[in-house]
Amino acid sequence: MWAVGCIFGELLNNSPLFPGENDIDQLYCVLQILGTPTEQQWPGMRQLPDFNKITFQKTRGVPLEHVVPDASPEAVRLLKRLLVYNSDERVSAAEALLDPYFFVEPLPAHHSELPIPVRRATAAADEALLSANLDDECDLVTAAFGGDK
């Protein structure tokens, strides 16, 4: 569910919440946003195998409302329930599906109401796009539709 929270946050923010370039940088990003966990928040964290291998400066974190400023209050509430350090306290998938976020406007659409993506006519058009040396968007359009510049 942690990964669902990361993906949900990315969808809300149009960018990764924790854009680390490696595992240590990733952990640093998490701590900067969520704050340094305490033993009260995450009992037993000090017994984790790699707990003492690296230390970071303690931080309070940032309110998620500031991280995803355009998100609805319901979306922020669900995100907070997903991004909980202690997995025993984190929302389950079944609980998340019953979250108020999924029952406020705009409501989810039935799959039959979603637009159908337009597909190119032939595999040859796909091959032409892949093999063409396209210099600009105009060339891309020309190659896709077989016209001249």
Side-chain angles (χ1 to χ4, degrees), residues 113-137:
E113 298 171 6
L114 297 174
I116 298 172
V118 178
R119 298 176 190 227
R120 286 191 284 280
T122 65
D126 289 341
E127 184 63 34
L129 284 173
L130 291 174
S131 63
N133 183 10
L134 304 173
D135 294 329
D136 58 32
E137 291 177 1

Side-chain angles (χ1 to χ4, degrees), residues 59-114:
T59 178
R60 288 186 155 161
V62 178
L64 286 176
E65 293 84 355
H66 296 179
V67 177
V68 288
D70 297 327
S72 69
E74 294 83 9
V76 173
R77 179 182 178 274
L78 177 56
L79 186 61
K80 287 178 179 180
R81 296 178 72 203
L82 292 164
L83 296 178
V84 172
Y85 285 122
N86 183 355
S87 61
D88 293 337
E89 298 293 324
R90 198 175 303 134
V91 67
S92 70
E95 293 168 331
L97 288 173
L98 296 175
D99 192 88
Y101 170 77
F102 293 107
F103 300 98
V104 296
E105 295 289 335
L107 294 174
H110 186 271
H111 67 84
S112 65
E113 298 171 6
L114 297 174

Side-chain angles (χ1 to χ4, degrees), residues 22-96:
N22 54 53
D23 56 345
I24 302 301
D25 192 36
Q26 187 86 42
L27 182 55
Y28 177 79
C29 292
V30 170
L31 295 172
Q32 290 301 300
I33 290 179
L34 299 181
T36 306
T38 65
E39 192 67 35
Q40 285 179 316
Q41 291 173 308
W42 193 357
M45 72 174 182
R46 295 185 190 285
Q47 282 71 49
L48 293 171
D50 295 334
F51 180 79
N52 288 316
K53 288 189 177 179
I54 188 167
T55 58
F56 295 93
Q57 186 175 10
K58 292 187 190 307
T59 178
R60 288 186 155 161
V62 178
L64 286 176
E65 293 84 355
H66 296 179
V67 177
V68 288
D70 297 327
S72 69
E74 294 83 9
V76 173
R77 179 182 178 274
L78 177 56
L79 186 61
K80 287 178 179 180
R81 296 178 72 203
L82 292 164
L83 296 178
V84 172
Y85 285 122
N86 183 355
S87 61
D88 293 337
E89 298 293 324
R90 198 175 303 134
V91 67
S92 70
E95 293 168 331

